[in-house]
Amino acid sequence: MELERCCKEEWAKLAKDRCAKLVASFSKRLEAVIAAVNTYVHHARMHAKHRGHEAMHAEMVLILIVTLVIAQLLLVQWKQRHPKSYNLITLFQMWVVPLYFTTKLHWWRFLVTWFLFSLITAFVTFRATRKPLECTTPRLVYKWFLLLYKISYATGIVGYAAVMFTLFGINLIFRIKPEDGMDFGVSLLFYGLYYGVLGRDFAEMCADFMASTIGFYSASGMPTKHLSDNICAVCGQQILVDVNEEGIIENTYRLSCNHVFHEFCIRGWCIVGKKQTCPYCKEKVDLKRMFSNPWERPHVMYGQLLDWLRYLVAWQPVIIGLVQLINYILGLE
């Protein structure tokens, strides 16, 4: 009797578990069917809403294409005719536009790094724009922006590698969820590219200020000072100093125009300050010749990538906003 009672209880328990599983399975299938029906209804409503609007959609696409083309032509002409105002406004937009979106989205980590970057860069820019220019300022400026450039370069590389590892499933080896790996990689890639672009633009502005203050360089005219053979046109200090003299003891570099500079100064001028001409005679600088180490040449390609991304970060939101305004004025939805 005891055995029969145990068997009945076991069979009742199994039947109850089986019924529960069947109910759960049926509930999941019912939820899937309901979701599919809701999706179909939503798409049907969207198609019904936009039926007959094909001409309007084509007009909106045409407006977008025409606006992009005209904006690109205007920006190119503006950059060629008034490069200072173009660079200044572009730099201001790159500095402010991401701040608006990240504040709206509550990205506090970006806001903290943005404020730290702004404080240090403001101090460095203040030093670079003072007259008379202190002899240690050029090296301070180039050291800060070179450090920022290297950090952004490394951050971008790590972010790109994280994205690639996630796409190829290598993250599963380390038990990292795909969404976590992708978020980590995209975040690092964004930080690296954004601060790389912003840092290079600030460095170019500071380089122009310092060079014009020293007097051996002017963007649109002849130098205001004559360059002697023993003076570096970037920092204004002596190139070769005696043991008892005050100056900078450093390796030198001679350009193809035979002008000699401190190696650190001319690298900062060309790579960090984005100048590809001699600081004194404006002869073209061969950057490939400057980088004898092949591992340093990717820095030039990275700098060109940052220059291309400047348009995407600074002007693309403005153009999209202009397209939205045109559509609103024309009554297009």
Side-chain angles (χ1 to χ4, degrees):
M1 295 295 294
E2 184 67 22
L3 180 61
E4 183 179 357
R5 187 178 62 82
C6 292
C7 291
K8 288 182 179 181
E9 290 179 354
E10 190 67 26
W11 278 108
K13 183 178 179 182
L14 291 174
K16 184 178 180 181
D17 293 342
R18 181 62 176 173
C19 290
K21 291 180 180 180
L22 288 174
V23 171
S25 177
F26 178 76
S27 299
K28 290 182 179 179
R29 293 182 181 180
L30 183 60
E31 290 176 358
V33 171
I34 293 173
V37 171
N38 289 334
T39 303
Y40 175 78
V41 172
H42 176 71
H43 283 291
R45 288 177 179 174
M46 290 293 295
H47 284 294
K49 180 180 179 180
H50 293 278
R51 186 179 293 116
H53 294 178
E54 290 79 6
M56 184 181 68
H57 295 165
E59 186 177 355
M60 293 174 66
V61 173
L62 181 62
I63 290 174
L64 175 62
I65 296 175
V66 172
T67 305
L68 288 174
V69 173
I70 295 177
Q72 183 66 25
L73 293 176
L74 292 177
L75 288 174
V76 170
Q77 291 297 319
W78 183 16
K79 184 178 181 180
Q80 292 178 351
R81 297 176 183 272
H82 303 283
K84 288 186 177 180
S85 61
Y86 171 83
N87 292 331
L88 185 62
I89 294 178
T90 302
L91 178 59
F92 178 76
Q93 286 185 230
M94 288 186 57
W95 186 55
V96 172
V97 170
L99 179 64
Y100 167 76
F101 290 106
T102 52
T103 303
K104 189 175 181 180
L105 296 173
H106 304 292
W107 290 358
W108 304 119
R109 284 179 296 181
F110 174 83
L111 293 175
V112 170
T113 58
W114 185 89
F115 277 110
L116 290 176
F117 166 83
S118 299
L119 287 175
I120 300 175
T121 303
F123 171 74
V124 173
T125 304
F126 175 79
R127 289 283 301 272
T129 54
R130 295 303 91 194
K131 293 182 180 181
L133 190 70
E134 298 182 13
C135 61
T136 58
T137 298
R139 301 181 68 83
L140 171 67
V141 171
Y142 289 134
K143 280 183 178 180
W144 162 241
F145 287 113
L146 181 62
L147 174 64
L148 182 65
Y149 178 81
K150 290 181 176 180
I151 292 175
S152 66
Y153 181 75
T155 304
I157 292 297
V158 173
Y160 177 77
V163 171
M164 290 295 102
F165 286 168
T166 304
L167 292 178
F168 287 104
I170 301 178
N171 59 295
L172 299 177
I173 300 177
F174 303 97
R175 297 182 180 180
I176 300 176
K177 296 180 180 179
E179 54 272 18
D180 294 338
M182 188 61 69
D183 289 343
F184 175 76
V186 172
S187 298
L188 288 184
L189 198 58
F190 168 75
Y191 279 102
L193 295 177
Y194 174 72
Y195 287 113
V197 174
L198 203 59
R200 278 172 59 83
D201 283 354
F202 271 108
E204 182 181 18
M205 183 181 66
C206 292
D208 284 334
F209 271 112
M210 293 187 301
S212 61
T213 301
I214 294 173
F216 295 118
Y217 172 84
S218 61
S220 58
M222 295 296 293
T224 58
K225 292 182 181 179
H226 175 70
L227 181 66
S228 62
D229 295 335
N230 196 34
I231 297 296
C232 174
V234 178
C235 66
Q237 302 299 307
Q238 292 187 14
I239 295 177
L240 301 175
V241 295
D242 294 334
V243 177
N244 296 325
E245 286 184 327
E246 182 180 356
I248 301 171
I249 302 176
E250 188 182 307
N251 294 332
T252 60
Y253 188 86
R254 183 184 297 274
L255 298 179
S256 57
C257 57
N258 289 325
H259 290 128
V260 183
F261 308 91
H262 293 123
E263 184 177 9
F264 181 85
C265 292
I266 194 61
R267 282 175 176 264
W269 171 264
C270 293
I271 305 305
V272 181
K274 296 196 302 183
K275 307 295 183 182
Q276 297 187 18
T277 56
C278 172
Y280 184 68
C281 66
K282 297 183 176 61
E283 182 173 327
K284 187 73 173 179
V285 175
D286 186 5
L287 295 179
K288 294 182 179 179
R289 178 174 171 267
M290 182 177 292
F291 291 110
S292 57
N293 186 353
W295 292 104
E296 293 181 338
R297 293 180 183 177
H299 288 281
V300 180
M301 298 176 59
Y302 181 66
Q304 295 173 352
L305 173 64
L306 296 181
D307 293 338
W308 177 80
L309 286 173
R310 184 189 301 106
Y311 168 80
L312 184 64
V313 175
W315 293 108
Q316 198 68 18
V318 177
I319 295 174
I320 297 300
L322 181 61
V323 171
Q324 295 290 342
L325 178 62
I326 295 174
N327 291 335
Y328 175 77
I329 293 175
L330 297 179
L332 303 175
E333 296 182 359

